[in-house]
């Protein structure tokens, strides 16, 4: 079992977040990120994807789930604050949930279309051209 990493200060976090996790903030002493979706089925897919990453990491967020949004809140319970573990899992969540193949110049994958509202999935902060918003 790894020893609990050191709790990061608010100052350290405020200087690192804009560079490392620009879509994340600090709310009530936890890293916070809201993912907006097209509706309940998409919401549950996002919840399950985050759930997989958390279990694989053995580091778990608190999630608030509503019809078209998932709020992710991260802190290290054993350390009593935000640590490198939270930053690392937040980064992985951002990579995986925020993944839009259409933004990768050499990707052969087209990504979720927005031509048909019924196909919409995640409402990205910066939607790819032709992608879902
Ligand atoms: C019970 C306890 O939460 C677990 O042993 C592990 C796994 N997941 C965890 N997740 C988080 N966020 N903090 C922890 O300290 C932690 N500890």
């Amino acid at each position: 079992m790894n020893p609990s990493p050191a709790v990061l200060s608010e100052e350290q976090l405020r200087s690192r977040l804009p560079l490392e996790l620009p879509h994340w903030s600090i709310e009530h002493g936890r890293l916070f990120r809201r993912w907006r979706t097209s509706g309940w089925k998409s919401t549950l897919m996002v919840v399950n994807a985050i759930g997989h990453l958390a279990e694989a990491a053995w580091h778990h967020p608190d999630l608030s789930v509503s019809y078209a949004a998932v709020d992710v809140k991260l802190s290290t319970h054993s350390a009593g604050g935000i640590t490198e573990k939270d930053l690392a899992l937040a980064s992985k969540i951002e990579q995986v949930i925020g993944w839009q193949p259409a933004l990768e110049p050499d990707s052969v994958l087209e990504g979720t279309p927005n031509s048909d509202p019924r196909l919409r999935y995640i409402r990205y902060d910066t939607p790819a051209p032709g992608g879902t918003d």
Side-chain angles (χ1 to χ4, degrees):
M1 169 77 79
N2 295 347
S4 244
V7 172
L8 299 168
S9 70
E10 184 126 357
E11 186 184 289
Q12 286 173 306
L13 289 164
R14 292 211 183 285
S15 67
R16 290 180 60 181
L17 284 189
L19 301 172
E20 298 176 40
L21 292 164
H23 296 297
W24 293 69
S25 59
I26 303 171
E27 309 284 338
H28 307 298
R30 293 181 290 185
L31 289 182
F32 176 88
R33 204 295 191 215
R34 171 164 294 168
W35 293 99
R36 296 180 302 128
T37 74
S38 62
W40 188 243
K41 290 189 283 287
S42 299
T43 292
L44 292 180
M45 287 179 69
V46 169
V47 167
N48 279 288
I50 293 170
H52 163 73
L53 296 175
E55 194 64 8
W58 193 239
H59 195 70
H60 303 83
D62 298 302
L63 299 178
S64 298
V65 182
S66 50
Y67 176 74
V70 184
D71 289 347
V72 185
K73 294 159 252 186
L74 269 166
S75 68
T76 304
H77 310 143
S78 58
I82 298 170
T83 72
E84 292 293 350
K85 289 186 175 182
D86 302 301
L87 295 176
L89 182 57
S91 176
K92 180 58 77 175
I93 290 170
E94 193 67 29
Q95 271 173 21
V96 170
I97 306 299
W99 180 48
Q100 295 185 77
L103 292 180
E104 295 173 353
D106 54 357
S107 177
V108 294
L109 299 168
E110 60 190 281
T112 315
N114 74 348
S115 49
D116 178 344
R118 293 170 300 174
L119 304 178
R120 296 208 162 166
Y121 182 30
I122 291 171
R123 301 186 63 191
Y124 300 102
D125 300 287
T126 50
T132 55
D133 72 341

